[in-house]
PDB file of all heavy atoms in Angstrom:
ATOM      1  N   ILE A 289      24.204  15.249 -22.881  1.00 97.00           N
ATOM      2  CA  ILE A 289      24.442  15.648 -21.497  1.00 97.00           C
ATOM      3  C   ILE A 289      23.176  16.241 -20.886  1.00 97.00           C
ATOM      4  O   ILE A 289      22.839  15.976 -19.728  1.00 97.00           O
ATOM      5  CB  ILE A 289      25.631  16.629 -21.428  1.00 97.00           C
ATOM      6  CG1 ILE A 289      26.935  15.857 -21.686  1.00 97.00           C
ATOM      7  CG2 ILE A 289      25.692  17.347 -20.076  1.00 97.00           C
ATOM      8  CD1 ILE A 289      28.165  16.713 -21.768  1.00 97.00           C
ATOM      9  N   VAL A 290      22.452  17.034 -21.684  1.00 96.00           N
ATOM     10  CA  VAL A 290      21.161  17.550 -21.210  1.00 96.00           C
ATOM     11  C   VAL A 290      20.231  16.390 -20.864  1.00 96.00           C
ATOM     12  O   VAL A 290      19.584  16.376 -19.807  1.00 96.00           O
ATOM     13  CB  VAL A 290      20.518  18.465 -22.274  1.00 96.00           C
ATOM     14  CG1 VAL A 290      19.149  18.957 -21.781  1.00 96.00           C
ATOM     15  CG2 VAL A 290      21.415  19.658 -22.591  1.00 96.00           C
ATOM     16  N   ASP A 291      20.159  15.405 -21.746  1.00 96.00           N
ATOM     17  CA  ASP A 291      19.287  14.245 -21.519  1.00 96.00           C
ATOM     18  C   ASP A 291      19.647  13.519 -20.228  1.00 96.00           C
ATOM     19  O   ASP A 291      18.767  13.113 -19.455  1.00 96.00           O
ATOM     20  CB  ASP A 291      19.393  13.266 -22.690  1.00 96.00           C
ATOM     21  CG  ASP A 291      18.742  13.780 -23.962  1.00 96.00           C
ATOM     22  OD1 ASP A 291      18.018  14.799 -23.897  1.00 96.00           O
ATOM     23  OD2 ASP A 291      18.971  13.173 -25.020  1.00 96.00           O
ATOM     24  N   VAL A 292      20.943  13.306 -20.004  1.00 97.00           N
ATOM     25  CA  VAL A 292      21.374  12.582 -18.805  1.00 97.00           C
ATOM     26  C   VAL A 292      20.980  13.349 -17.551  1.00 97.00           C
ATOM     27  O   VAL A 292      20.485  12.767 -16.573  1.00 97.00           O
ATOM     28  CB  VAL A 292      22.894  12.332 -18.844  1.00 97.00           C
ATOM     29  CG1 VAL A 292      23.373  11.748 -17.510  1.00 97.00           C
ATOM     30  CG2 VAL A 292      23.253  11.375 -19.976  1.00 97.00           C
ATOM     31  N   CYS A 293      21.164  14.669 -17.555  1.00 97.00           N
ATOM     32  CA  CYS A 293      20.813  15.478 -16.384  1.00 97.00           C
ATOM     33  C   CYS A 293      19.314  15.454 -16.126  1.00 97.00           C
ATOM     34  O   CYS A 293      18.867  15.365 -14.972  1.00 97.00           O
ATOM     35  CB  CYS A 293      21.306  16.907 -16.576  1.00 97.00           C
ATOM     36  SG  CYS A 293      23.106  17.060 -16.557  1.00 97.00           S
ATOM     37  N   GLU A 294      18.528  15.518 -17.205  1.00 96.00           N
ATOM     38  CA  GLU A 294      17.079  15.458 -17.044  1.00 96.00           C
ATOM     39  C   GLU A 294      16.663  14.102 -16.475  1.00 96.00           C
ATOM     40  O   GLU A 294      15.829  14.017 -15.554  1.00 96.00           O
ATOM     41  CB  GLU A 294      16.404  15.708 -18.390  1.00 96.00           C
ATOM     42  CG  GLU A 294      14.873  15.725 -18.312  1.00 96.00           C
ATOM     43  CD  GLU A 294      14.236  16.041 -19.660  1.00 96.00           C
ATOM     44  OE1 GLU A 294      14.862  15.765 -20.715  1.00 96.00           O
ATOM     45  OE2 GLU A 294      13.109  16.571 -19.654  1.00 96.00           O
ATOM     46  N   GLU A 295      17.240  13.036 -17.002  1.00 97.00           N
ATOM     47  CA  GLU A 295      16.878  11.691 -16.550  1.00 97.00           C
ATOM     48  C   GLU A 295      17.313  11.453 -15.113  1.00 97.00           C
ATOM     49  O   GLU A 295      16.572  10.849 -14.324  1.00 97.00           O
ATOM     50  CB  GLU A 295      17.509  10.655 -17.473  1.00 97.00           C
ATOM     51  CG  GLU A 295      17.011   9.241 -17.251  1.00 97.00           C
ATOM     52  CD  GLU A 295      17.490   8.295 -18.326  1.00 97.00           C
ATOM     53  OE1 GLU A 295      17.070   8.463 -19.498  1.00 97.00           O
ATOM     54  OE2 GLU A 295      18.287   7.399 -18.003  1.00 97.00           O
ATOM     55  N   LEU A 296      18.496  11.945 -14.742  1.00 98.00           N
ATOM     56  CA  LEU A 296      18.957  11.788 -13.365  1.00 98.00           C
ATOM     57  C   LEU A 296      18.015  12.499 -12.404  1.00 98.00           C
ATOM     58  O   LEU A 296      17.683  11.969 -11.332  1.00 98.00           O
ATOM     59  CB  LEU A 296      20.379  12.342 -13.219  1.00 98.00           C
ATOM     60  CG  LEU A 296      20.966  12.327 -11.803  1.00 98.00           C
ATOM     61  CD1 LEU A 296      21.024  10.912 -11.237  1.00 98.00           C
ATOM     62  CD2 LEU A 296      22.347  12.971 -11.787  1.00 98.00           C
ATOM     63  N   THR A 297      17.559  13.685 -12.770  1.00 97.00           N
ATOM     64  CA  THR A 297      16.625  14.414 -11.915  1.00 97.00           C
ATOM     65  C   THR A 297      15.329  13.637 -11.752  1.00 97.00           C
ATOM     66  O   THR A 297      14.802  13.479 -10.640  1.00 97.00           O
ATOM     67  CB  THR A 297      16.328  15.801 -12.516  1.00 97.00           C
ATOM     68  OG1 THR A 297      17.557  16.513 -12.709  1.00 97.00           O
ATOM     69  CG2 THR A 297      15.427  16.611 -11.590  1.00 97.00           C
ATOM     70  N   LYS A 298      14.791  13.106 -12.845  1.00 95.00           N
ATOM     71  CA  LYS A 298      13.532  12.361 -12.793  1.00 95.00           C
ATOM     72  C   LYS A 298      13.662  11.108 -11.932  1.00 95.00           C
ATOM     73  O   LYS A 298      12.794  10.821 -11.088  1.00 95.00           O
ATOM     74  CB  LYS A 298      13.090  11.980 -14.205  1.00 95.00           C
ATOM     75  CG  LYS A 298      12.610  13.158 -15.046  1.00 95.00           C
ATOM     76  CD  LYS A 298      12.251  12.695 -16.451  1.00 95.00           C
ATOM     77  CE  LYS A 298      11.712  13.834 -17.300  1.00 95.00           C
ATOM     78  NZ  LYS A 298      11.420  13.397 -18.695  1.00 95.00           N
ATOM     79  N   PHE A 299      14.742  10.343 -12.140  1.00 95.00           N
ATOM     80  CA  PHE A 299      14.917   9.119 -11.364  1.00 95.00           C
ATOM     81  C   PHE A 299      15.107   9.430  -9.878  1.00 95.00           C
ATOM     82  O   PHE A 299      14.631   8.687  -9.017  1.00 95.00           O
ATOM     83  CB  PHE A 299      16.103   8.311 -11.896  1.00 95.00           C
ATOM     84  CG  PHE A 299      15.741   7.329 -12.972  1.00 95.00           C
ATOM     85  CD1 PHE A 299      15.434   7.759 -14.248  1.00 95.00           C
ATOM     86  CD2 PHE A 299      15.682   5.973 -12.706  1.00 95.00           C
ATOM     87  CE1 PHE A 299      15.087   6.863 -15.247  1.00 95.00           C
ATOM     88  CE2 PHE A 299      15.333   5.053 -13.689  1.00 95.00           C
ATOM     89  CZ  PHE A 299      15.035   5.510 -14.972  1.00 95.00           C
ATOM     90  N   THR A 300      15.797  10.519  -9.575  1.00 96.00           N
ATOM     91  CA  THR A 300      16.010  10.880  -8.173  1.00 96.00           C
ATOM     92  C   THR A 300      14.695  11.261  -7.516  1.00 96.00           C
ATOM     93  O   THR A 300      14.405  10.845  -6.380  1.00 96.00           O
ATOM     94  CB  THR A 300      17.020  12.037  -8.066  1.00 96.00           C
ATOM     95  OG1 THR A 300      18.236  11.672  -8.736  1.00 96.00           O
ATOM     96  CG2 THR A 300      17.339  12.347  -6.603  1.00 96.00           C
ATOM     97  N   LEU A 301      13.868  12.036  -8.207  1.00 93.00           N
ATOM     98  CA  LEU A 301      12.553  12.391  -7.671  1.00 93.00           C
ATOM     99  C   LEU A 301      11.707  11.146  -7.445  1.00 93.00           C
ATOM    100  O   LEU A 301      10.976  11.036  -6.449  1.00 93.00           O
ATOM    101  CB  LEU A 301      11.840  13.340  -8.634  1.00 93.00           C
ATOM    102  CG  LEU A 301      12.340  14.785  -8.667  1.00 93.00           C
ATOM    103  CD1 LEU A 301      11.792  15.509  -9.884  1.00 93.00           C
ATOM    104  CD2 LEU A 301      11.958  15.517  -7.386  1.00 93.00           C
ATOM    105  N   MET A 302      11.793  10.200  -8.345  1.00 91.00           N
ATOM    106  CA  MET A 302      10.967   8.999  -8.277  1.00 91.00           C
ATOM    107  C   MET A 302      11.415   8.054  -7.168  1.00 91.00           C
ATOM    108  O   MET A 302      10.584   7.396  -6.526  1.00 91.00           O
ATOM    109  CB  MET A 302      11.004   8.278  -9.624  1.00 91.00           C
ATOM    110  CG  MET A 302      10.124   7.041  -9.708  1.00 91.00           C
ATOM    111  SD  MET A 302      10.005   6.399 -11.395  1.00 91.00           S
ATOM    112  CE  MET A 302      11.735   6.079 -11.789  1.00 91.00           C
ATOM    113  N   ILE A 303      12.730   7.990  -6.911  1.00 90.00           N
ATOM    114  CA  ILE A 303      13.272   6.949  -6.040  1.00 90.00           C
ATOM    115  C   ILE A 303      13.527   7.417  -4.613  1.00 90.00           C
ATOM    116  O   ILE A 303      13.359   6.635  -3.669  1.00 90.00           O
ATOM    117  CB  ILE A 303      14.569   6.386  -6.669  1.00 90.00           C
ATOM    118  CG1 ILE A 303      14.202   5.508  -7.874  1.00 90.00           C
ATOM    119  CG2 ILE A 303      15.398   5.595  -5.666  1.00 90.00           C
ATOM    120  CD1 ILE A 303      15.376   5.108  -8.721  1.00 90.00           C
ATOM    121  N   ARG A 304      13.906   8.681  -4.420  1.00 89.00           N
ATOM    122  CA  ARG A 304      14.437   9.073  -3.115  1.00 89.00           C
ATOM    123  C   ARG A 304      13.454   8.842  -1.961  1.00 89.00           C
ATOM    124  O   ARG A 304      13.848   8.444  -0.870  1.00 89.00           O
ATOM    125  CB  ARG A 304      14.876  10.532  -3.144  1.00 89.00           C
ATOM    126  CG  ARG A 304      13.737  11.526  -3.376  1.00 89.00           C
ATOM    127  CD  ARG A 304      14.234  12.946  -3.307  1.00 89.00           C
ATOM    128  NE  ARG A 304      13.151  13.892  -3.526  1.00 89.00           N
ATOM    129  CZ  ARG A 304      13.283  15.198  -3.362  1.00 89.00           C
ATOM    130  NH1 ARG A 304      14.437  15.710  -2.987  1.00 89.00           N
ATOM    131  NH2 ARG A 304      12.261  16.008  -3.576  1.00 89.00           N
ATOM    132  N   GLY A 305      12.157   9.074  -2.176  1.00 81.00           N
ATOM    133  CA  GLY A 305      11.195   8.864  -1.108  1.00 81.00           C
ATOM    134  C   GLY A 305      10.841   7.407  -0.890  1.00 81.00           C
ATOM    135  O   GLY A 305      10.189   7.063   0.103  1.00 81.00           O
ATOM    136  N   ARG A 306      11.247   6.555  -1.824  1.00 80.00           N
ATOM    137  CA  ARG A 306      10.943   5.130  -1.756  1.00 80.00           C
ATOM    138  C   ARG A 306      12.192   4.277  -1.542  1.00 80.00           C
ATOM    139  O   ARG A 306      12.119   3.054  -1.579  1.00 80.00           O
ATOM    140  CB  ARG A 306      10.253   4.694  -3.047  1.00 80.00           C
ATOM    141  CG  ARG A 306       8.997   5.484  -3.391  1.00 80.00           C
ATOM    142  CD  ARG A 306       8.451   5.091  -4.746  1.00 80.00           C
ATOM    143  NE  ARG A 306       7.168   5.700  -5.052  1.00 80.00           N
ATOM    144  CZ  ARG A 306       7.016   6.817  -5.756  1.00 80.00           C
ATOM    145  NH1 ARG A 306       8.082   7.461  -6.206  1.00 80.00           N
ATOM    146  NH2 ARG A 306       5.813   7.305  -6.000  1.00 80.00           N
ATOM    147  N   SER A 307      13.312   4.927  -1.353  1.00 78.00           N
ATOM    148  CA  SER A 307      14.590   4.222  -1.299  1.00 78.00           C
ATOM    149  C   SER A 307      14.633   3.183  -0.194  1.00 78.00           C
ATOM    150  O   SER A 307      15.100   2.056  -0.396  1.00 78.00           O
ATOM    151  CB  SER A 307      15.736   5.234  -1.124  1.00 78.00           C
ATOM    152  OG  SER A 307      16.976   4.577  -1.041  1.00 78.00           O
ATOM    153  N   ASP A 308      14.159   3.546   1.000  1.00 79.00           N
ATOM    154  CA  ASP A 308      14.209   2.600   2.120  1.00 79.00           C
ATOM    155  C   ASP A 308      13.410   1.342   1.811  1.00 79.00           C
ATOM    156  O   ASP A 308      13.830   0.223   2.117  1.00 79.00           O
ATOM    157  CB  ASP A 308      13.695   3.257   3.390  1.00 79.00           C
ATOM    158  CG  ASP A 308      14.656   4.297   3.941  1.00 79.00           C
ATOM    159  OD1 ASP A 308      15.835   4.294   3.531  1.00 79.00           O
ATOM    160  OD2 ASP A 308      14.222   5.110   4.779  1.00 79.00           O
ATOM    161  N   TYR A 309      12.252   1.517   1.194  1.00 78.00           N
ATOM    162  CA  TYR A 309      11.420   0.352   0.872  1.00 78.00           C
ATOM    163  C   TYR A 309      12.037  -0.471  -0.248  1.00 78.00           C
ATOM    164  O   TYR A 309      12.058  -1.707  -0.194  1.00 78.00           O
ATOM    165  CB  TYR A 309      10.019   0.806   0.463  1.00 78.00           C
ATOM    166  CG  TYR A 309       9.116  -0.351   0.104  1.00 78.00           C
ATOM    167  CD1 TYR A 309       8.628  -1.213   1.090  1.00 78.00           C
ATOM    168  CD2 TYR A 309       8.758  -0.595  -1.216  1.00 78.00           C
ATOM    169  CE1 TYR A 309       7.815  -2.285   0.768  1.00 78.00           C
ATOM    170  CE2 TYR A 309       7.945  -1.666  -1.550  1.00 78.00           C
ATOM    171  CZ  TYR A 309       7.475  -2.505  -0.556  1.00 78.00           C
ATOM    172  OH  TYR A 309       6.679  -3.573  -0.882  1.00 78.00           O
ATOM    173  N   LEU A 310      12.572   0.204  -1.276  1.00 76.00           N
ATOM    174  CA  LEU A 310      13.143  -0.508  -2.408  1.00 76.00           C
ATOM    175  C   LEU A 310      14.364  -1.335  -2.014  1.00 76.00           C
ATOM    176  O   LEU A 310      14.649  -2.361  -2.629  1.00 76.00           O
ATOM    177  CB  LEU A 310      13.538   0.495  -3.505  1.00 76.00           C
ATOM    178  CG  LEU A 310      12.369   1.167  -4.246  1.00 76.00           C
ATOM    179  CD1 LEU A 310      12.886   2.302  -5.119  1.00 76.00           C
ATOM    180  CD2 LEU A 310      11.609   0.151  -5.083  1.00 76.00           C
ATOM    181  N   THR A 311      15.087  -0.883  -1.001  1.00 78.00           N
ATOM    182  CA  THR A 311      16.313  -1.582  -0.608  1.00 78.00           C
ATOM    183  C   THR A 311      16.135  -2.424   0.662  1.00 78.00           C
ATOM    184  O   THR A 311      17.112  -2.900   1.231  1.00 78.00           O
ATOM    185  CB  THR A 311      17.454  -0.571  -0.396  1.00 78.00           C
ATOM    186  OG1 THR A 311      17.072   0.386   0.611  1.00 78.00           O
ATOM    187  CG2 THR A 311      17.768   0.167  -1.681  1.00 78.00           C
ATOM    188  N   ASP A 312      14.896  -2.588   1.094  1.00 75.00           N
ATOM    189  CA  ASP A 312      14.617  -3.438   2.250  1.00 75.00           C
ATOM    190  C   ASP A 312      14.726  -4.896   1.830  1.00 75.00           C
ATOM    191  O   ASP A 312      13.974  -5.367   0.970  1.00 75.00           O
ATOM    192  CB  ASP A 312      13.212  -3.127   2.782  1.00 75.00           C
ATOM    193  CG  ASP A 312      12.878  -3.945   4.013  1.00 75.00           C
ATOM    194  OD1 ASP A 312      13.793  -4.232   4.808  1.00 75.00           O
ATOM    195  OD2 ASP A 312      11.693  -4.314   4.168  1.00 75.00           O
ATOM    196  N   ARG A 313      15.657  -5.640   2.421  1.00 74.00           N
ATOM    197  CA  ARG A 313      15.950  -7.001   1.990  1.00 74.00           C
ATOM    198  C   ARG A 313      15.711  -8.001   3.118  1.00 74.00           C
ATOM    199  O   ARG A 313      16.071  -7.755   4.271  1.00 74.00           O
ATOM    200  CB  ARG A 313      17.399  -7.111   1.518  1.00 74.00           C
ATOM    201  CG  ARG A 313      17.701  -6.282   0.273  1.00 74.00           C
ATOM    202  CD  ARG A 313      19.179  -6.371  -0.063  1.00 74.00           C
ATOM    203  NE  ARG A 313      19.462  -5.688  -1.314  1.00 74.00           N
ATOM    204  CZ  ARG A 313      19.733  -4.379  -1.403  1.00 74.00           C
ATOM    205  NH1 ARG A 313      19.767  -3.656  -0.307  1.00 74.00           N
ATOM    206  NH2 ARG A 313      19.977  -3.830  -2.576  1.00 74.00           N
ATOM    207  N   TYR A 314      15.187  -9.134   2.742  1.00 69.00           N
ATOM    208  CA  TYR A 314      14.924 -10.191   3.721  1.00 69.00           C
ATOM    209  C   TYR A 314      16.199 -10.593   4.456  1.00 69.00           C
ATOM    210  O   TYR A 314      16.207 -10.743   5.686  1.00 69.00           O
ATOM    211  CB  TYR A 314      14.316 -11.413   3.034  1.00 69.00           C
ATOM    212  CG  TYR A 314      14.243 -12.622   3.946  1.00 69.00           C
ATOM    213  CD1 TYR A 314      13.228 -12.754   4.892  1.00 69.00           C
ATOM    214  CD2 TYR A 314      15.216 -13.626   3.882  1.00 69.00           C
ATOM    215  CE1 TYR A 314      13.177 -13.837   5.745  1.00 69.00           C
ATOM    216  CE2 TYR A 314      15.178 -14.711   4.729  1.00 69.00           C
ATOM    217  CZ  TYR A 314      14.159 -14.818   5.658  1.00 69.00           C
ATOM    218  OH  TYR A 314      14.120 -15.890   6.502  1.00 69.00           O
ATOM    219  N   SER A 315      17.291 -10.804   3.702  1.00 71.00           N
ATOM    220  CA  SER A 315      18.520 -11.301   4.316  1.00 71.00           C
ATOM    221  C   SER A 315      19.036 -10.346   5.385  1.00 71.00           C
ATOM    222  O   SER A 315      19.651 -10.781   6.366  1.00 71.00           O
ATOM    223  CB  SER A 315      19.601 -11.495   3.248  1.00 71.00           C
ATOM    224  OG  SER A 315      19.929 -10.267   2.629  1.00 71.00           O
ATOM    225  N   GLU A 316      18.767  -9.065   5.203  1.00 70.00           N
ATOM    226  CA  GLU A 316      19.239  -8.088   6.186  1.00 70.00           C
ATOM    227  C   GLU A 316      18.259  -7.930   7.339  1.00 70.00           C
ATOM    228  O   GLU A 316      18.652  -7.520   8.439  1.00 70.00           O
ATOM    229  CB  GLU A 316      19.507  -6.755   5.491  1.00 70.00           C
ATOM    230  CG  GLU A 316      20.684  -6.861   4.519  1.00 70.00           C
ATOM    231  CD  GLU A 316      20.857  -5.611   3.674  1.00 70.00           C
ATOM    232  OE1 GLU A 316      20.070  -4.656   3.840  1.00 70.00           O
ATOM    233  OE2 GLU A 316      21.785  -5.609   2.841  1.00 70.00           O
ATOM    234  N   ARG A 317      17.003  -8.258   7.107  1.00 69.00           N
ATOM    235  CA  ARG A 317      16.045  -8.172   8.216  1.00 69.00           C
ATOM    236  C   ARG A 317      16.308  -9.245   9.269  1.00 69.00           C
ATOM    237  O   ARG A 317      15.938  -9.066  10.426  1.00 69.00           O
ATOM    238  CB  ARG A 317      14.610  -8.278   7.689  1.00 69.00           C
ATOM    239  CG  ARG A 317      14.165  -7.078   6.866  1.00 69.00           C
ATOM    240  CD  ARG A 317      12.645  -7.054   6.708  1.00 69.00           C
ATOM    241  NE  ARG A 317      12.126  -8.181   5.963  1.00 69.00           N
ATOM    242  CZ  ARG A 317      12.020  -8.205   4.630  1.00 69.00           C
ATOM    243  NH1 ARG A 317      12.401  -7.145   3.914  1.00 69.00           N
ATOM    244  NH2 ARG A 317      11.528  -9.277   4.014  1.00 69.00           N
ATOM    245  N   VAL A 318      16.936 -10.340   8.859  1.00 69.00           N
ATOM    246  CA  VAL A 318      17.202 -11.394   9.834  1.00 69.00           C
ATOM    247  C   VAL A 318      18.519 -11.169  10.574  1.00 69.00           C
ATOM    248  O   VAL A 318      18.865 -11.932  11.456  1.00 69.00           O
ATOM    249  CB  VAL A 318      17.218 -12.786   9.165  1.00 69.00           C
ATOM    250  CG1 VAL A 318      15.865 -13.071   8.539  1.00 69.00           C
ATOM    251  CG2 VAL A 318      18.315 -12.907   8.123  1.00 69.00           C
ATOM    252  N   GLU A 319      19.247 -10.132  10.202  1.00 63.00           N
ATOM    253  CA  GLU A 319      20.460  -9.759  10.918  1.00 63.00           C
ATOM    254  C   GLU A 319      20.221  -8.479  11.694  1.00 63.00           C
ATOM    255  O   GLU A 319      19.539  -7.579  11.214  1.00 63.00           O
ATOM    256  CB  GLU A 319      21.614  -9.505   9.941  1.00 63.00           C
ATOM    257  CG  GLU A 319      22.287 -10.728   9.390  1.00 63.00           C
ATOM    258  CD  GLU A 319      23.509 -10.343   8.574  1.00 63.00           C
ATOM    259  OE1 GLU A 319      23.353  -9.648   7.561  1.00 63.00           O
ATOM    260  OE2 GLU A 319      24.626 -10.716   8.972  1.00 63.00           O
ATOM    261  N   SER A 320      20.793  -8.390  12.863  1.00 60.00           N
ATOM    262  CA  SER A 320      20.713  -7.135  13.606  1.00 60.00           C
ATOM    263  C   SER A 320      21.696  -6.138  13.016  1.00 60.00           C
ATOM    264  O   SER A 320      22.633  -6.503  12.304  1.00 60.00           O
ATOM    265  CB  SER A 320      21.056  -7.373  15.077  1.00 60.00           C
ATOM    266  OG  SER A 320      22.437  -7.697  15.205  1.00 60.00           O
ATOM    267  N   ALA A 321      21.509  -4.867  13.299  1.00 61.00           N
ATOM    268  CA  ALA A 321      22.423  -3.833  12.822  1.00 61.00           C
ATOM    269  C   ALA A 321      23.834  -4.083  13.336  1.00 61.00           C
ATOM    270  O   ALA A 321      24.818  -3.859  12.634  1.00 61.00           O
ATOM    271  CB  ALA A 321      21.936  -2.455  13.266  1.00 61.00           C
ATOM    272  N   GLU A 322      23.931  -4.595  14.561  1.00 64.00           N
ATOM    273  CA  GLU A 322      25.252  -4.885  15.128  1.00 64.00           C
ATOM    274  C   GLU A 322      25.941  -5.991  14.339  1.00 64.00           C
ATOM    275  O   GLU A 322      27.142  -5.923  14.050  1.00 64.00           O
ATOM    276  CB  GLU A 322      25.114  -5.290  16.589  1.00 64.00           C
ATOM    277  CG  GLU A 322      26.442  -5.592  17.272  1.00 64.00           C
ATOM    278  CD  GLU A 322      26.271  -5.993  18.730  1.00 64.00           C
ATOM    279  OE1 GLU A 322      25.126  -5.931  19.233  1.00 64.00           O
ATOM    280  OE2 GLU A 322      27.276  -6.366  19.356  1.00 64.00           O
ATOM    281  N   GLU A 323      25.191  -7.017  13.954  1.00 68.00           N
ATOM    282  CA  GLU A 323      25.765  -8.115  13.181  1.00 68.00           C
ATOM    283  C   GLU A 323      26.199  -7.645  11.798  1.00 68.00           C
ATOM    284  O   GLU A 323      27.257  -8.039  11.301  1.00 68.00           O
ATOM    285  CB  GLU A 323      24.741  -9.248  13.059  1.00 68.00           C
ATOM    286  CG  GLU A 323      24.489 -10.001  14.360  1.00 68.00           C
ATOM    287  CD  GLU A 323      23.301 -10.931  14.261  1.00 68.00           C
ATOM    288  OE1 GLU A 323      22.404 -10.638  13.433  1.00 68.00           O
ATOM    289  OE2 GLU A 323      23.256 -11.923  14.995  1.00 68.00           O
TER     290      GLU A 323
END
């Protein structure tokens, strides 16, 4: 459980500032937010 909590913290620090870029997808760029 200690290991999981440590790993979750590390992954969150690594990903949260890059989340928008990591999840930016071509298929969604060709659709508007309304669509």
